[in-house]
Amino acid sequence: MKQLPDLSISERRAQILLSIEKAAISNGVDPESICLTGVSKVQPDNRIEAMLATGQRVYGENRVQEAQKRWKDRIEKHPDIQLRLIGPLQTNKSEDAVALFDVIETLDRPKLARSLAKAAEKSGSCPELFIQVNIGQETQKSGVLPSETDAFIKSVRNEYELPLSGLMCIPPNGQPAAPYFTLLKEIANRNGLTQLSMGMSSDFELAIAHGATHVRVGSALFGERVSSH
Ligand SMILES: *Cc1c(COP(=O)(O)O)cnc(C)c1O
């Protein structure tokens, strides 16, 4: 049997945007209020260039150095690119991360809050911040435990005086994600946070149905990653 050709990047993106629009409308929210983050980690240059040509401007990366390599020159060419860090951040990379990223979604411990506050003070500006919540309480995942999130939010706001925008989570693999999305929204609501980064290639529509404002889509948008991390 002959294999069907890959969908082109722009067709993939158009399909995802249509799915986002449908999910938003059936959830009673403005499709324009949902941000599609194109997760570009590991993707080859030809796909990045094809994605830029579609007008996609919001990208997610999970490693600081890889992101610097992929985006430094491209940001000069396209100053309207928005970069979001969606992977764990070591404190010794705080300054680099503050310099490169518009949004850091993975604030997950007091030591990192302190380090980001210092880096922001030094640079005179601070990225928008999301707290990553370890919503399934998995030992191998980073993030603040759900039971400790209220207290951490308070200390980020009051002790470190950092600009907090929302919460991010990655639900456990192979389990229904809906209860985890619901829990993240509850934590956000009771803390006055309006932005929720949740949902990936396999479940972004479900995440939108549960209140996601930012979805992080990699393989469904760019095609499968050649090596995964
Ligand atoms: C890789 C990654 C994604 C994208 O995953 P896909 O399943 O390819 O859409 C989303 N969020 C985070 C935190 C990731 O590391």
Side-chain angles (χ1 to χ4, degrees), residues 81-156:
I81 286 173
Q82 185 195 79
L83 283 188
R84 307 178 68 97
L85 179 64
I86 60 171
L89 178 59
Q90 294 169 280
T91 51
N92 64 3
K93 303 231 174 76
S94 287
E95 285 189 21
D96 287 342
V98 164
L100 182 66
F101 289 96
D102 300 284
V103 184
I104 294 174
E105 297 197 8
T106 50
L107 174 55
D108 61 356
R109 58 200 191 278
K111 191 180 168 203
L112 182 58
R114 195 174 316 124
S115 165
L116 286 173
K118 249 175 88 178
E121 196 181 350
K122 199 168 159 186
S123 91
S125 73
C126 190
E128 255 185 68
L129 299 174
F130 283 50
I131 287 173
Q132 180 175 359
V133 180
N134 186 352
I135 203 73
Q137 306 182 54
E138 297 173 280
T139 47
Q140 78 278 16
K141 280 211 179 111
S142 35
V144 186
L145 292 174
S147 61
E148 294 169 2
T149 303
D150 291 357
F152 187 56
I153 290 171
K154 276 202 189 76
S155 88
V156 168

Side-chain angles (χ1 to χ4, degrees), residues 37-41 43 60-62 85-88 105-106 132 168-170 197 199-204 215-221 223-225 229:
T37 299
V39 178
S40 45
K41 64 184 182 193
Q43 296 288 354
E61 290 281 347
N62 66 344
L85 179 64
I86 60 171
E105 297 197 8
T106 50
Q132 180 175 359
M168 176 271 220
C169 78
I170 311 167
S197 171
M200 321 203 309
S201 288
S202 58
D203 56 11
F204 67 90
V215 292
R216 309 178 307 267
V217 182
S219 43
L221 192 57
E224 289 301 323
R225 287 181 288 279
H229 65 239

